[in-house]
Amino acid sequence: MARQVWAAFLEDFLCELGQVFELGWQALKSIFKKPFEKANFIQQLEEVGVNSLPVVSLTAAFGGLVFGLQTYLAFHRYIGPGSESQGGPIIAVGLCRELIPILVGLMVAGRVGSAMAAEIGTMRITEQIDALFSLGAHPVRYLVVPRVLSSLIMVPILTLYGDVIAIFGGFAYNVFLMKVNQTLYVQNTLKYFEFWDVSVGLIKALIFGLVIAVVGCWQGMTAAGGAEGVGRATTKSVVVASIAILILNFFLSKVLPSSLS
Amino acid sequence: MSEIKLKLVDVHKSFGQKRVLTGVNLEIIENETIVIIGQSGSGKSVLLKHLIGIMKPDRGHIYVGGQDITGLSEEEMMKLSRKFGMLFQGAALFDSLTVSENVAFGLRRHTDLSEEEIQKVVKASLERVGLRGVENLLPYELSGGMKKRVGLARAIAYSPEIILYDEPTTGLDPIRADAINDLILQLKKDLCVTSVVITHDMNSTYKIADRIAMLYDGRIIEVGAPEEIRNSPNPVVQQFINGRATGPIEEW
């Protein structure tokens, strides 16, 4: 019995994974096909990017502050008073490579991925997607491509923006609040922190952006069963995208080289 | 002899275990209004969506103007959709677009008209369905009947050859429903289109149909002029058109 349940679960999982890959591939292929839905693209750039700024600013600022706090404590306790300025590069590397891409990914999945699933799902159950087709607009090109493309562009930009805010947060906690030597803190950071550390975060963000948009659109496109179905699709889009982000993050951290030099 | 505009040959469609269409055969003649009747959930909407290519049959063939559309790619199907205008059951207006943008939607994609010409056609299409001064409203600001009218204006704006109506009078009060019937008749007269209407509203059916086809158990079980259907010896047809709960149709 348990074996049958697992087999059914595995079959569903593989089937859904296949659907996600198919939609993602179709969207990426369609990016260069005409007509390009410029108005939708610009609207999505605003939705994914500009409208996510407040939430990214807040999470990055507090992420940076708490990272600064814990790193300060660790150096203070285990290495000894006066060693706290060595935490600078650790804070910057940790934030840029791990914390900020994940935080931005999870925030955008919750804010934008869910909205994509809800909007497209509502369109699906009210036959608006069929109407698109009947009026000569390809649903993937009209709905999915602008969302995927804007996520691919905006999630890395948000991550870069989050990096700056968070690094400043860590710096502010150590230097302004805990009176760590500013010159040493900056010197240490610049000495060990590499551009590649930022790049790793941006590569991750690019992949997270793709995952968020494709999962959100896929859930919307396959929504069924009225308002309840749209609700389910919305929740599932956040859960699936968030889990995928955390799992992918580990493997990307493992695969991407720690340093180029 | 009138030309056959649409033809379905042995069309089958299943969703998982559920067999919805089990061998539909039907010919639709140019410029006629054919009404497909059947119970709710009998697969009428599925049938209509096969005609426009939104759904593909598991088996069988569909011909539009003599061309087999069953094997066409999505791109080719999109081009072919220019021939069709479809009024959806809930109108399916795009929520985020105004009435005028909704009506202009198909025009922008199916035609090469300039913006000025598009605005003229939008206005004319809305006037044709009896709407004025609603161009800048959003769909949520419209009543059910108005939504259907806007949906109809959107479907006819680019002058399609075939109009598909998915339950055009469902959810409307009797007066509004009759106004929609009149519109369907008027459009047929003015635009010389072939119309396929699916409904379970018999008043509407008798008013607009040149021919009636009944879908039952996944197949077309009877086709004929309204009088022929009215006098059909088939007990299933009689039970349905007379709206009786008892008879050979036991699932409802």
Side-chain angles (χ1 to χ4, degrees), chain A residues 47-206:
Chain A
E47 183 54 33
V48 180
V50 181
N51 296 347
S52 295
L53 281 176
V55 76
V56 167
S57 305
L58 267 175
T59 45
F62 282 92
L65 281 170
V66 83
F67 225 69
L69 179 151
Q70 292 296 352
T71 315
Y72 173 88
L73 278 181
F75 273 97
H76 190 76
R77 266 163 66 179
Y78 303 119
I79 314 284
S83 66
E84 297 90 348
S85 65
Q86 290 174 39
I90 296 177
I91 292 170
V93 169
L95 286 171
C96 292
R97 293 183 80 109
E98 302 293 342
L99 192 68
I100 296 305
I102 287 187
L103 273 183
V104 170
L106 295 180
M107 286 299 132
V108 176
R111 219 192 70 78
V112 181
S114 58
M116 289 177 183
E119 193 181 348
I120 298 178
T122 306
M123 289 184 77
R124 161 64 72 202
I125 62 160
T126 54
E127 296 185 306
Q128 290 178 53
I129 292 185
D130 292 340
L132 279 177
F133 187 88
S134 78
L135 293 164
H138 195 288
V140 170
R141 235 171 283 161
Y142 186 78
L143 295 171
V144 183
V145 169
R147 284 166 173 79
V148 167
L149 198 57
S150 50
S151 281
L152 279 173
I153 295 170
M154 278 306 180
V155 178
I157 291 176
L158 286 170
T159 302
L160 192 62
Y161 167 79
D163 287 347
V164 174
I165 303 242
I167 289 174
F168 180 75
F171 170 84
Y173 181 83
N174 279 276
V175 173
F176 299 148
L177 277 175
M178 305 314 288
K179 307 295 176 209
V180 171
N181 186 309
Q182 180 180 339
T183 316
L184 282 176
Y185 185 96
V186 174
Q187 251 178 14
N188 279 329
T189 305
L190 291 177
K191 190 172 170 191
Y192 295 109
F193 183 56
E194 296 176 18
F195 177 69
W196 176 243
D197 296 316
V198 179
S199 308
V200 166
L202 298 184
I203 293 169
K204 285 180 174 181
L206 191 77

Side-chain angles (χ1 to χ4, degrees), chain A residues 37 127-128 130 138 141, chain B residues 49 54 74-75 95 109:
Chain A
E37 302 288 347
E127 296 185 306
Q128 290 178 53
D130 292 340
H138 195 288
R141 235 171 283 161
Chain B
K49 284 177 184 174
I54 291 170
E74 265 191 340
E75 295 293 327
D95 300 324
R109 283 163 177 82

Side-chain angles (χ1 to χ4, degrees), chain B residues 45-56:
Chain B
S45 293
V46 171
L47 181 62
L48 210 59
K49 284 177 184 174
H50 275 82
L51 293 177
I52 197 171
I54 291 170
M55 287 182 184
K56 283 199 181 283

Side-chain angles (χ1 to χ4, degrees), chain B residues 3 5 29-33 161 188 191-195 210:
Chain B
E3 195 189 326
K5 193 75 179 170
I29 300 158
E30 193 166 15
N31 297 343
E32 78 165 337
T33 298
E161 296 168 25
K188 186 197 167 192
L191 308 173
C192 293
V193 287
T194 308
S195 309
D210 293 323

